[in-house]
Amino acid sequence: MAVLDDLSGFEFEDLIEDVFRNLGYENVRQAEKTADEGRDVMMEEVVDGTRRAIVVECKHTGTVGRPVVQKLHSAIATFDFDGPKRGMVVTTGRFTNPAQEYANRLQQNEDPYPIELLDGEDLREIADEIGLDLYNGRIEILCDETLRPYDAAADVDAPVQEAFRDIENIEAGGLPEPHAAVAFRPVVAVTADTNAVFETSVGIIHRINDRTQFVVHAERGDPQAVDEDVATLVIENLHTTIDIDPEQFGEVFDDVEERRFGQTQTEYKEWAVERLQQHYTTTVTYTGDNNVTYNKTCEPNRSDISVQSIEPVYLPEVRQTTDLQEYTYPCEYYAAGPSRVTAEDGIHRCVHCDTTGVDATYTYCPNCGAIACDSHIKTERLKDEPVCTGCAVTERFALKTKYFYDDQNLEAFREEYAGMPFQLKVMENTLLAGGIVVATLLLVVGLLVFGGII
């Protein structure tokens, strides 16, 4: 255990706080460094439906004797908690025989405040269980669970088919099978409590009492908080995870990638504390006893922030691409079974302009495979079907632009147009034809009025 000897006493307490949090204890927090009264770490557990407080004394020394255990017993008795209580002494070294005998006697006598002893050997076993790196005192990420990358009750390409149902002039059921790839991205869900009180001579001027939940991308590089929708997806599905099975997922997806966690759990905890310190720092204006207005920056201390849990999990990022003639349409989303958060929607997007989103109308061009908005979709003259402005050839007939799939269709219509009687040629421009009719009626009416007939 000598590798931990380089840690200071405070650093050892930080480490033990993280250890117990990873072991599943609740509301794990440290006492004030200045006056812990024999209580370094406090936490809670639920046994048979009853919540019990646990007071922990941390001793980063070679040997722990009976006086330390006795002192903790008194600290437990005076600890303010409405319910049963017990204690623990944790050391990197060993316990003397009198210390062990005293703790055993408490157990045998069914003392209301029993004490459990954890020595260096116990810490080694715990290290193997939770991924504690004894060489640097850091807790590594141990995770083999992921949110479900697809809806088990539907086909893996169901999201793509659903998206294409909004597109005019295309049958979703007749689409080619998309190429499907999944990347399992590591994230950590952090829950933390911030409790701080700021006082001056006039009393309390600011108070923080808040619980925060956020999710962090945990790949290599600086941690980055995910956006709110993705965080909600992760937090709401943390208890419906499944084991990562690359072989199983390889049968569903064409490509499977599992990315590694970039930092240790301890480092993510430290990042979260710093982030919350920045988030809650604010400037408060107050009036002093002398009626003078003051500004005070209220920044919570690290000890004011208690990280309740750091839960690692893999977040599936699914990318499905569909090839339609000249174009490829991506559909990318974060998945948790039937729940999804869209990262990229290349289906509800015009290939010719910046129009995007599900609120617009898009139409498929069977001539080139383009999906285009209304302003870039026209009607092909011969087939009377949609054609996009990007692939159509044009020519003016009866002073109106006509759209054709290709030069062959244009040539066919030229021949047809040449053989049309005048009135049909005019009807190729309905506005022009309507204008001629209106002008003719006005002329007739004018002649009749001029001739005194009406």
Side-chain angles (χ1 to χ4, degrees), residues 74-94:
S74 299
I76 299 170
T78 57
F79 180 59
D80 185 16
F81 182 79
D82 186 16
K85 298 174 285 188
R86 71 182 183 94
M88 286 186 187
V89 181
V90 183
T91 180
T92 53
R94 65 180 185 83

Side-chain angles (χ1 to χ4, degrees), residues 147 187-191 212-217 224-239 275 311 313 315 334-336 339-342:
L147 305 184
V187 298
V188 290
V190 180
T191 301
T212 308
Q213 285 185 300
F214 54 92
V215 178
V216 183
H217 283 302
Q224 297 290 330
V226 307
D227 64 38
E228 185 176 345
D229 290 339
V230 178
T232 300
L233 178 77
V234 173
I235 291 170
E236 290 184 348
N237 291 278
L238 270 177
H239 303 296
R275 180 177 185 269
E311 300 181 76
V313 70
L315 171 63
Y334 296 105
S339 301
R340 301 186 301 273
V341 173
T342 300

Side-chain angles (χ1 to χ4, degrees), residues 16 26 40 54 70 82 162 213-214 222 243 257 268 278 285 334 354 378 403 406 423 452:
I16 294 304
E26 300 179 7
D40 293 323
I54 306 174
Q70 287 179 304
D82 186 16
E162 178 183 327
Q213 285 185 300
F214 54 92
D222 294 333
D243 291 338
E257 177 187 5
Y268 289 118
Q278 296 172 2
T285 301
Y334 296 105
D354 295 330
K378 303 297 179 180
Y403 296 83
D406 48 36
Q423 65 273 20

